Amino acid sequence: MVGLSRRQAGLTALYLGVFAAVWFSVPKADPPLRSLLVVGSVGALLAAAVGVVLVVRAGRRPAGERDRSADRRYGLIVVAEFAVALIGGLLLAAAGLGGYVPVLICAVVGVHFVPLAPVLGDRLLVPLGVAVTLVALAGLVVDLVSAVSAGLVVGTGAGTLLLAYAVLALFRARGHDQQAVGAEAERQVA
């Protein structure tokens, strides 16, 4: 498994933990599923809190380590994501199809992980993006062929995937730090 710096892992856990909690709040569900969604939200917020601790402990990134080009690409990807989601959501709402807004947003979020993978240097964002996009498609299909709402499928699915990836990022940080400590010890011995 490819390791992440403590800072990158912390930021990943922070962002995806917060967004997982948001996705878990999308569906309107009856008990016992509602209770599971609340547990998922709490777990996601805990992952985000651990992410904050990692970021704080990692400290600020030295100015020389910043990649301005990557920062610009990141910003452009996120702005494009928000623009497509906002405009698409408004168009769906205006067409009386507001129930499909979560599907659109989930699909846009899934797709945006693919160009972010090389920018952030995290190739595992590609399978996450594919999985989140497939959740959007599943939400649409389930909504069209059953009485289950797209929001329930998408909120539960996207929340679960983002929470799982946030936790994975935390484990990847630990492995990376252990590798870095081992490499430093080898350098000192040599």
Side-chain angles (χ1 to χ4, degrees):
M1 181 174 2
V2 178
L4 297 173
S5 72
R6 288 184 134 217
R7 180 174 180 73
Q8 184 178 359
L11 288 171
T12 299
L14 169 61
Y15 293 149
L16 296 187
V18 167
F19 284 113
V22 169
W23 278 108
F24 283 133
S25 71
V26 168
K28 293 182 177 32
D30 296 324
L33 181 56
R34 184 74 215 145
S35 298
L36 291 174
L37 292 171
V38 170
V39 168
S41 291
V42 170
L45 293 174
L46 287 173
V50 173
V52 168
V53 170
L54 278 180
V55 170
V56 169
R57 285 189 175 171
R60 302 193 102 213
R61 187 170 32 166
E65 286 186 24
R66 289 197 65 105
D67 182 349
R68 301 272 182 221
S69 174
D71 289 349
R72 277 191 296 280
R73 286 184 305 212
Y74 177 87
L76 289 172
I77 292 166
V78 171
V79 166
E81 171 196 17
F82 276 99
V84 170
L86 178 64
I87 292 167
L90 291 172
L91 290 173
L92 283 172
L97 300 171
Y100 296 109
V101 170
V103 172
L104 171 74
I105 293 172
C106 185
V108 170
V109 167
V111 168
H112 106 287
F113 283 124
V114 175
L116 276 182
V119 172
L120 297 175
D122 186 357
R123 67 177 187 229
L124 294 180
L125 287 174
V126 173
L128 174 64
V130 170
V132 171
T133 304
L134 288 173
V135 164
L137 179 61
L140 176 64
V141 169
V142 167
D143 186 89
L144 292 173
V145 300
S146 74
V148 177
S149 75
L152 180 61
V153 173
V154 170
T156 304
T160 301
L161 288 171
L162 295 180
L163 172 56
Y165 200 86
V167 171
L168 176 65
L170 295 171
F171 281 106
R172 289 169 70 196
R174 186 181 73 197
H176 179 74
D177 290 343
Q178 288 171 347
Q179 292 169 0
V181 168
E184 182 61 30
E186 288 177 17
R187 276 192 289 262
Q188 290 176 353
V189 170

